[in-house]
Amino acid sequence: MARHFRGTPIVLRFIEYMDVGATNGWRMDEVLPSAQVIERLREQFALQSIDPNYAGETAERWRYADGMGEIGVISSVTQAFCHDCNRARLSTEGKLFLCLFASAGHDLRALLRGHGGRTYSDEEIAAAIGLIWQRRDDRYSEQRSAQQPAREPGERRVEMHYIGG
């Protein structure tokens, strides 16, 4: 794939095999670490590291030394980036998920539609979402990497396809 897209405006991203829910049969021994992907690519191409475009960017960026394009790797398993995450997702039912691996979302539907006949201003909605964000403590990938229990036994997380992973 790297050879195919080299020299085109397409920026190829390689992402580690992720445990995206309870249905994909994920196992850590099936993960090809992104560091090994870069090693394999460097056997074929001269690569130079590139700084992130913005804070919280998930991909580690590399360019071909001859200027023929860019690739990236997303180390979602071997180098979790929870501490730098700046993403949230809104489900079709109006639940705000702060992590791809969350076991529950924050119900925004009542706030967005109004509750008990009360309509909330844009400022109130923004403040409520800001408070949810400030209180976030989702660190599933970092906890998993540190061999810490990331959730209670039997607690299920949302399937990534449900929230648009």
Side-chain angles (χ1 to χ4, degrees), residues 87-129:
R87 289 162 173 76
R89 289 161 178 86
L90 186 63
S91 75
T92 57
E93 286 90 14
K95 291 190 178 181
L96 182 67
F97 288 87
L98 304 180
C99 179
L100 287 175
F101 302 106
S103 55
H106 301 269
D107 190 5
L108 296 184
R109 184 170 31 193
L111 185 65
L112 295 172
R113 290 184 175 171
H115 183 67
R118 178 163 188 248
T119 304
Y120 294 92
S121 69
D122 290 349
E123 292 78 19
E124 290 172 308
I125 293 169
I129 293 170

Side-chain angles (χ1 to χ4, degrees), residues 18-22 82 85 87-91 95-106 132-133 136-141 143-144 150-152 154-163 165:
M18 295 172 60
D19 54 339
V20 296
C82 302
C85 181
R87 289 162 173 76
R89 289 161 178 86
L90 186 63
S91 75
K95 291 190 178 181
L96 182 67
F97 288 87
L98 304 180
C99 179
L100 287 175
F101 302 106
S103 55
H106 301 269
I132 290 168
W133 185 262
R136 72 185 301 221
D137 62 354
D138 298 295
R139 295 178 18 256
Y140 174 80
S141 293
Q143 290 169 324
R144 179 198 54 225
R151 60 188 78 249
E152 297 298 319
E155 184 180 15
R156 293 190 59 145
R157 62 183 182 268
V158 67
E159 293 289 330
M160 190 183 290
H161 66 270
Y162 171 75
I163 57 172

Side-chain angles (χ1 to χ4, degrees), residues 2-120:
R3 192 175 319 293
H4 178 78
F5 291 108
R6 187 171 179 271
T8 75
I10 296 171
V11 178
L12 183 63
R13 296 283 189 252
F14 295 92
I15 186 167
E16 293 174 337
Y17 177 41
M18 295 172 60
D19 54 339
V20 296
T23 59
N24 74 332
W26 183 87
R27 292 187 358 227
M28 183 63 187
D29 63 341
E30 293 179 340
V31 174
L32 177 64
S34 57
Q36 289 181 25
V37 172
I38 293 299
E39 283 177 32
R40 291 179 184 188
L41 290 169
R42 286 187 125 165
E43 290 172 5
Q44 302 295 315
F45 310 105
L47 297 175
Q48 299 171 330
S49 181
I50 307 173
D51 289 334
N53 280 317
Y54 53 88
E57 184 172 22
T58 58
E60 180 182 345
R61 300 172 57 220
W62 298 83
R63 72 171 149 240
Y64 296 103
D66 61 6
M68 294 294 289
E70 175 184 327
I71 61 160
V73 292
I74 301 173
S75 306
S76 53
V77 175
T78 61
Q79 296 176 36
F81 39 79
C82 302
H83 67 281
D84 216 12
C85 181
N86 59 8
R87 289 162 173 76
R89 289 161 178 86
L90 186 63
S91 75
T92 57
E93 286 90 14
K95 291 190 178 181
L96 182 67
F97 288 87
L98 304 180
C99 179
L100 287 175
F101 302 106
S103 55
H106 301 269
D107 190 5
L108 296 184
R109 184 170 31 193
L111 185 65
L112 295 172
R113 290 184 175 171
H115 183 67
R118 178 163 188 248
T119 304
Y120 294 92

